[in-house]
Amino acid sequence: MSALLDLFAGSLGGAAGVLAGHPLDTVKVRLQTQSGPTPQYRGTFHCFKLIVQKEGFRGLYKGMSSPLLSLSAINAIVFGVHGGTCRQMEDPDSITSHFVGGCAAGMAQSVIAAPTERIKLLLQIQDDKAHTKFNGPIDATKQLLRTHGLKSLTRGFLATVARDAPAFGVYFASYEWMARSMCKDGETSTLSSGQLLFAGGTAGMLSWLFNYQTDIIKSRFQADNSYKSYMHCIKQTYLERGYRGFFVGLNSALIRAFPSNAATFFTVEWTYRILLDFNVIDNVTKEAEKICAESQLLPLTPTTQPPTRKEQEKTFVTTSQEKCKRLLTQTDFWATNNHFLLPEAGSTIVDPMLHGYRFF
């Protein structure tokens, strides 16, 4: 039951991240995939403005249903692979373990991410209603299977792995390092929501900076069937724009990091608070005691009446024993050694750089 609730809250948070970050992801994709000596879009804000003028605000959300549909599957894969890999390491809590676990998770989720992002990209680059080829993700999938076969859906898979494996590794490692650096006396439970948000957003930006060029090649290769190979795509990109062609759209990727993170964190925390208020998750005594024991927190003292929200907030800031009673909010889970799944901001499904997954 507890795992299902974690997945439920995590999925809602991930969906909120997608909703918040998808418009700028569409801008990024348009900038990345435009070709020719005279690009249609001059930059992030110009692209955003033209999309709204020509296609309305709905144009910014093209292709969004594709990542939303695969969100829960991605959650499950990343959660299982990252946690399992870290447990197999000699020191599961080390920064190195988080890096290796993140790389393994990024590689594993690429199986779903590659075809999902392929569909998303094809829908996002449709900027002319009169020449719309795909009416939605299902229609796009059917057409690709009918005309090019199953192999067409996996186009760009290797580039996705090359992007996501190191990106997730950088994200998890930098996130852990920053969180531990900001906490007092090594107690990460003392971090505020603002500090957690800062760590998540900064880690996402670092992931983009180290892996953005791979994302450029992946996007262009998936959106344009004329490229015969990755090397052909790299050469053509350089011939068209020079070295600048491998950085176009980077500012839009960095800008969207924080709103996506904010939406994700806010939604997850308040999902748990609402579930607590409506007595949906009060029957967790045994699981909570287990988590407390593993986290070296004080034992749980069961209560007969579920506390109100004000009482929860009051007890949260008083004693560690009272905090352990709740155990089901964002900051409480921070100290429970990877028991809680939090999708970390997303523009698309698991855009490695911004929608990596955080396990509380």
Side-chain angles (χ1 to χ4, degrees), residues 276-291:
L276 279 167
D277 286 348
F278 284 92
N279 204 28
V280 176
I281 50 177
D282 62 332
N283 189 24
V284 293
T285 302
K286 291 183 178 180
E287 181 67 17
E289 288 176 344
K290 178 182 176 183
I291 295 175

Side-chain angles (χ1 to χ4, degrees), residues 95 171-183 199 206:
I95 300 298
Y171 174 78
F172 280 115
S174 59
Y175 192 97
E176 287 295 326
W177 181 80
M178 283 185 286
R180 295 176 189 183
S181 298
M182 290 188 293
C183 67
L206 287 174

